[in-house]
Amino acid sequence: MIACLGYIVPEYVKFPGYCSPSSGLAFSDIPNGLAALSKVPGAGLTQMFLFCGLVERGLFPADPARAPGDFENGGVLGVPNGSTLTDGETKKRKLSAELANGRLAMMAIIGMF
C-alpha cells in the first residue's frame, strides 16, 4: 500500500530543494517510478538500502518461534508500539486480512507499471 502511495503522490507533490546539492539534482528533476533509479546518485541508493537493512535487522528481527510476519516489536498491524493482539480468532482474522491486503497492494503496484 505504501508502494502505491509512493508511486501516486510524487505525481502531485515534490519536495522543495535538492536531492544532491553537489551534483545540482533537484527533487523536481527526479521522475516517478523506476525511472528514478537512473537519476538518484549511488550514495543515495546505498543510504536507502542500508536504512531498510537496519530496520529489518534492528527493529524487526526474525524469530523462528513466531509465524512469518508476526514480529515481536511489530505491535498491532506493524506499528512499533509494543501493543499486541491476544491469541485467538481475532488475531487470526486480522493477520489473514493483512495478508490479503498486502497481496492486493502487490497486484496494484504491478498494475501501475
Side-chain angles (χ1 to χ4, degrees):
M1 289 178 236
I2 292 175
C4 291
L5 284 175
Y7 198 80
I8 295 169
V9 170
E11 291 285 337
Y12 305 102
V13 179
K14 297 274 188 181
F15 285 120
Y18 288 91
C19 177
S20 176
S22 61
S23 61
L25 180 65
F27 284 110
S28 59
D29 298 335
I30 299 174
N32 296 337
L34 292 175
L37 292 175
S38 65
K39 300 289 184 191
V40 176
L45 294 174
T46 303
Q47 287 174 356
M48 288 185 260
F49 182 76
L50 288 175
F51 175 76
C52 291
L54 288 173
V55 169
E56 185 78 21
R57 289 298 221 164
L59 188 59
F60 297 122
D63 183 3
R66 299 175 75 98
D70 185 18
F71 300 108
E72 182 178 359
N73 296 334
V76 176
L77 299 177
V79 178
N81 61 4
S83 65
T84 59
L85 293 171
T86 56
D87 285 335
E89 190 60 34
T90 302
K91 182 175 183 174
K92 186 176 179 181
R93 184 174 44 81
K94 287 192 177 192
L95 288 176
S96 295
E98 185 65 20
L99 280 173
N101 288 338
R103 290 176 180 143
L104 179 63
M106 285 186 271
M107 295 308 295
I109 194 66
I110 287 171
M112 291 181 177
F113 291 112

